[in-house]
Amino acid sequence: MPENIVVEVSNYRSSPKKVTIKAYCNENKALPSAVNISLEQYESVGLIQSLTQLEHSSNNQLLTDKCKALLNYIASGATIRMNCYAR
């Protein structure tokens, strides 16, 4: 796994009530890991717990794999970039 992975949390484009979490390698290449969660959930339990809950509650294998990948990037020491604006 590359050492320069960035996990970015940003506002979801079409809804102010959601955030998007995605990972990048070398700032230019998006890794296949983008997930959307509600802003309320993110604010109440945080990044790690939101991804963990989504991973365990989803019946969609692709979504589960994306959550696992994001959690692995974070556990491996990825830089976390917050790019969110307040409500």
Side-chain angles (χ1 to χ4, degrees):
M1 179 181 311
E3 295 179 15
N4 50 351
I5 293 179
V6 175
V7 174
E8 180 181 82
V9 180
S10 59
N11 293 87
Y12 183 65
R13 276 191 246 173
S14 61
S15 174
K17 295 182 180 183
K18 290 185 178 183
V19 294
T20 299
I21 304 165
K22 40 186 155 174
Y24 294 94
C25 177
N26 298 329
E27 295 285 327
N28 299 327
K29 182 181 176 191
L31 299 171
S33 59
V35 296
N36 300 315
I37 58 173
S38 73
L39 181 61
E40 182 180 344
Q41 178 183 10
Y42 173 74
E43 288 179 336
S44 66
V45 297
L47 177 62
I48 305 294
Q49 192 64 30
S50 294
L51 288 171
T52 303
Q53 287 175 357
L54 186 59
E55 175 190 0
H56 294 302
S57 66
S58 177
N59 293 328
N60 181 330
Q61 186 62 45
L62 181 60
L63 184 58
T64 299
D65 291 343
K66 288 179 178 183
C67 289
K68 282 182 186 177
L70 285 165
L71 288 167
N72 284 335
Y73 298 148
I74 293 167
S76 297
T79 302
I80 299 174
R81 178 182 299 148
M82 307 303 287
N83 194 15
C84 291
Y85 302 101
R87 295 189 228 192

